[in-house]
Every structure is written in C-alpha cells, then in structure tokens.
Amino acid sequence: MRTLVFDGRTGAAGDMICAALIAAGADPDALAPVSDALPVRYAVGEVEKNGIRATTVDVLVDDRTVETDGDHDHGHDHSHGHDHGPDNDPSTSGSDEPAEGAGVHRSYREVVDLVESMGLPPAVESTALDAFELLGRAEASVHGTDLDETHFHEVGADDAIADVVGAALLLADLGPERVVTTPVAAGGGTVEMSHGTYPVPAPATTEIASRAGFRIAGGPIDRELLTPTGAAILGAVADGFDAVPDLAVERAGYGAGDADFERHPNVLRALVGDGGEPGPDGDREKRDDDRARAGQPVDGRLAHDDIAVLETNLDDAAPEVLGGLQETLSRAGARDVTIVPTTMKKSRPGHLVKVICKPADAEAVAERLARETGTLGVRQSGASHRWIADRAFETATLRVDGEDHEVDVKVASTTDGEVYDVSGEYDDAAAVAEATGLPIREVLRRVEAEVREQLPREQGGR
C-alpha cells in the first residue's frame, strides 16, 4: 500500500504541509484552482534549515507576501525567513510586509459556500470541507456557539483557505492510498491571537487534537509549533501512529516553517513508500476504539460532545427560584438542568442542582447559578464529555376531520445514520390534541409512525 507519513517533530502548519507534499513529489501546478478562485498565488522556493534543504510555500495576496501560519505563530508576529529563488522573490511583486490574514474574514458557512463554488474534484472538496468542519467545530466548542454561527478570524481569510484547499489538491495529486502521522509537537509558552494571549497549544488546536485521530506532544521549544490550520488538515486526512510505520521509502521531503530555531530544524518531514498496511479486523477495531477515545465519530456509535458538569447543594432555596433555574441558566449557556431532592446535614431536606454546559460557558453558568440561588460554591465534576445521538427534526402532518395539523418529530441516529429512536415533540402534540380532542399519546403514536414509514429500511424504516 502506497503510504504517506507525516513526521511532525517540530510541529505542523498549513504552508508546511503544502511544502512537504511538494517536496515529496506533488506537482505545484495542482494548486491552480485556488489561484483561479481567489486573489492569491503561490510562491514555491527552497531554504536550508539547520543543514536540511527544505521546500517553502508562500501565499501572495494583493502583491504582498502572506506568510501563512508556517512560523508557528497562528498568524501573528511574522518575520520573513524563507530564501526565495529569483522567480519567487516577493520583493519583485510589491511590499514584503507580512500580510497574514489578508482578505475578508468569513463564517464557517461562508467558507463552505466558497469551497463548494471552486469546482474542485469531489475528493478534494471533501478533504477541504472535512478540515474546515474540524476547525469550525473546534471554534464552536471553544466559544460556545453553533457550527453555522461560528466566525473564523485568522483561519477564514484567503491565505488560510489557500493552505487548506492547496493541501487537499496536492494530496490528491500525490495520490497515496493511506496517510498517517506520528505524534505532532505542539510547542509551549503562549501565543497572541485576536481574542488575547493564550497558552500553547491554542484553544482551537487543543480542541481539534481531542477530535482528531493523532496525538500531540509538548515542546521541544516554547513557541507555537502546531497551528489550528495544520491540526485540522492532519485531522482530516491522517491516522495517528506512535512512530513511523514499516515503510519501503521511495521519497522523503521536507516542508519548512518560517522561523529558525537554534537546535531544531523547523521542518515537517513527509515520507512516501510502500507499507503501513492496515491489519486484520482486530486492528480495525482497535483503531475504532482509539478514534472514539480521541473524539472522532465511529460508524454505528454516538457522537462525542465536550461538556462541563456543574453542581451545587441547596437547603434554603425557594420553590419559585428552583422552578426558574431552567430558563435563567439556559440563557447563560446551560444545555440541561436537573434538580434532585436530597437530604443534607442534620437531616435537612435540600436539593442537588446539576447543570450540563459547554466548557467555554462553565464560568458564566456557575456565576448565574450562584446569583440566582445564593449558593456559596459551585463545583465542577470530573465529567469531560458525553456521547450523544445525531439529531434531526422531521415535520409530520396529521389529518383529522379534514384539517391538517403539523407536529415536529425528533429523529435520533448513530454516526452512520442508523435511526434508533423517533419521538414526537410533546408541546406540538398537546396543541393538536387540544384542537382535535384526540389523546396526546394517540397524536404521538400517529406522527411517529408516519415518520418511521418515510425512513429508508436501512435506517430503521418499515
């Protein structure tokens, strides 16, 4: 099996991945669809990093060099460290000031629409969209937003799109049957981003790593080495290996980052050759287990959802306050609120309040819980994630005495689309029952049966 191995001992970034693919044999001309669709062009050159000859890729936007995220700073504080050949000297095309993030910043949905408008081959489009979905879900989790509401800052600009789509095009041109990656160095210290100063790895990178099927490692220097864009590309295309697998190497290439490190060559190595075959079914099951632990969807299972669980005990809260917590805490970001009667010290009756929210919302929800109840402390329990169904809503139409009534029906399924539960929405059913005189349970029975009839048999339909 022809296998591509990424060896990211000094990290990975979007331009480093593109450069490593070119160095490993991909044709730079494959990048043409990006230049046709965006006001960018690629400059491919060479540089020496600690004695290693490596390929560089710069994205040029509006006649300015855009150092993509290859100096491992997620688009910040760039310096021009590449050596360019005479045909790729950015000084000949205008200002050489860094222009990271040039162009408009886009929402996740805008990025998807743009990629889909490029007319890319289906496999290339799928790879690029997988990477952007990883980025989008990571940003949504960090900021506590829905995927379609997520706005990209650094990674929504033209140059970052050029990195992701460019990597997908080059990968398709290289044509490996399998892609794997060894553990990727994340670096250390802090990084400046649009929202402030954060520890390395950056929040979005950490979130992507929790969802992707590869491992990260700290160090070897205090600098951002793995960027969100680089992590998303690897997460979309590569399986994680603990070390370089058995491989009859045909070609080795190195993609350079911008920065120079004293003792560590700032390069991403790509190896191409025969080997790295998947094992028998037992190995496949082990990989599925690894992917599930890493937060990646596995066919036939539930989806991974990162959460925080907050708790507090109350022995003096008024019933009206407890009754209002569902609404007040939901406005602060709670996804679920449960109130359990309990017995507290000195046999006093009390209540245990448990709240599920996204990790990014935990502090705001805890503060609102304290203000609403007067509790002196809110604890966060050890749960870090939950397994949830993929959920969709269908509208069922119930005809009674010549009149149509609509009821929303929730359809729960595993990650491979197998439906295991169909449930009508109670409030809708109650309204129809009130209007028709039918029992609520009869309304629910009819609309749930209608939706099941419409499902394909392989998804649980009749």
Side-chain angles (χ1 to χ4, degrees):
M1 176 179 288
R2 192 163 186 262
T3 299
L4 166 66
V5 180
F6 287 112
D7 187 9
R9 303 187 191 204
T10 48
D15 65 332
M16 295 175 73
I17 294 173
C18 290
L21 289 169
I22 291 172
D27 186 352
D29 289 343
L31 296 167
V34 178
S35 299
D36 292 341
L38 294 174
V40 303
R41 63 183 178 88
Y42 296 89
V44 180
E46 288 189 339
V47 68
E48 186 175 292
K49 294 289 185 180
N50 298 61
I52 293 178
R53 195 71 175 169
T55 299
T56 64
V57 172
D58 293 331
V59 178
L60 308 180
V61 178
D62 293 334
D63 293 331
R64 292 181 298 166
T65 300
V66 177
E67 302 291 352
T68 53
D69 55 359
D71 73 344
H72 307 302
D73 278 338
H74 190 27
H76 307 277
D77 191 25
H78 289 270
S79 59
H80 293 264
H82 294 315
D83 294 331
H84 302 270
D87 294 334
N88 294 316
D89 186 349
S91 64
T92 65
S93 60
S95 170
D96 62 355
E97 297 253 340
E100 174 73 14
V104 296
H105 294 175
R106 300 175 173 91
S107 69
Y108 168 76
R109 180 49 53 188
E110 288 170 334
V111 170
V112 169
D113 291 343
L114 176 58
V115 172
E116 291 178 341
S117 73
M118 288 183 174
L120 302 168
V124 173
E125 179 180 292
S126 177
T127 297
L129 292 179
D130 285 348
F132 278 116
E133 183 176 354
L134 268 176
L135 279 165
R137 291 194 182 280
E139 293 285 355
S141 178
V142 169
H143 299 300
T145 61
D146 291 331
L147 179 61
D148 284 342
E149 298 173 358
T150 297
H151 281 265
F152 293 135
H153 296 283
E154 292 88 353
V155 296
D158 289 344
D159 57 287
I161 293 174
D163 274 348
V164 174
V165 179
L169 288 163
L170 292 168
L171 184 65
D173 182 76
L174 193 60
E177 297 173 84
R178 191 180 192 198
V179 182
V180 303
T181 181
T182 63
V184 184
T190 60
V191 61
E192 294 291 332
M193 297 189 301
S194 56
H195 295 287
T197 302
Y198 290 87
V200 170
T205 304
T206 304
E207 185 65 26
I208 292 168
S210 76
R211 297 170 180 270
F214 65 89
R215 297 183 181 181
I216 62 173
I221 60 174
D222 280 347
R223 185 153 182 170
E224 185 184 37
L225 299 182
L226 176 61
T227 66
T229 303
I233 296 170
L234 292 178
V237 304
D239 296 322
F241 268 52
D242 289 337
V244 175
D246 291 342
L247 198 71
V249 178
E250 299 171 4
R251 186 155 183 172
Y254 300 86
D258 187 60
D260 293 312
F261 306 139
E262 182 177 353
R263 296 182 57 82
H264 301 278
N266 185 16
V267 296
L268 172 66
R269 180 167 66 163
L271 305 173
V272 179
D274 287 331
E277 286 85 354
D281 287 345
D283 288 342
R284 178 184 58 79
E285 292 172 1
K286 178 180 182 300
R287 288 196 303 276
D288 281 353
D289 289 339
D290 290 342
R291 290 167 67 86
R293 283 193 294 270
Q296 281 193 300
V298 177
D299 287 348
R301 302 190 182 183
L302 299 179
H304 181 281
D305 184 39
D306 293 317
I307 59 168
V309 179
L310 306 178
E311 297 180 348
T312 191
N313 293 87
L314 305 173
D315 62 3
D316 59 355
E320 295 82 1
V321 171
L322 294 173
L325 286 179
Q326 291 278 356
E327 181 178 352
T328 56
L329 295 181
S330 293
R331 288 200 298 265
R335 302 300 176 94
D336 188 47
V337 180
T338 303
I339 301 172
V340 183
T342 188
T343 301
M344 301 180 66
K345 61 184 179 182
K346 298 183 180 179
S347 299
R348 290 198 300 264
H351 294 85
L352 169 63
V353 180
K354 296 174 69 75
V355 185
I356 294 175
C357 62
K358 299 300 291 181
D361 296 326
E363 184 175 354
V365 173
E367 181 180 353
R368 177 50 57 186
L369 178 57
R371 290 183 180 276
E372 292 292 335
T373 64
T375 183
L376 299 180
V378 176
R379 60 188 175 272
Q380 183 167 332
S381 70
S384 63
H385 63 271
R386 60 181 175 177
W387 300 104
I388 61 173
D390 285 344
R391 285 163 279 187
F393 283 90
E394 302 289 341
T395 300
T397 301
L398 184 65
R399 191 169 185 82
V400 180
D401 296 333
E403 293 188 10
D404 290 338
H405 304 270
E406 292 186 345
V407 177
D408 282 343
V409 179
K410 181 161 52 180
V411 179
S413 62
T414 59
T415 55
D416 61 354
E418 181 183 353
V419 174
Y420 68 85
D421 186 63
V422 174
S423 301
E425 289 293 282
Y426 179 86
D427 288 346
D428 289 356
V432 173
E434 177 71 20
T436 63
L438 290 172
I440 295 175
R441 65 177 184 172
E442 177 64 14
V443 175
L444 291 171
R445 185 190 68 79
R446 292 189 189 183
V447 297
E448 290 166 3
E450 177 183 328
V451 170
R452 283 197 179 275
E453 289 289 344
Q454 296 171 356
L455 293 172
R457 185 174 296 275
E458 61 269 18
Q459 290 185 344
R462 296 171 182 169

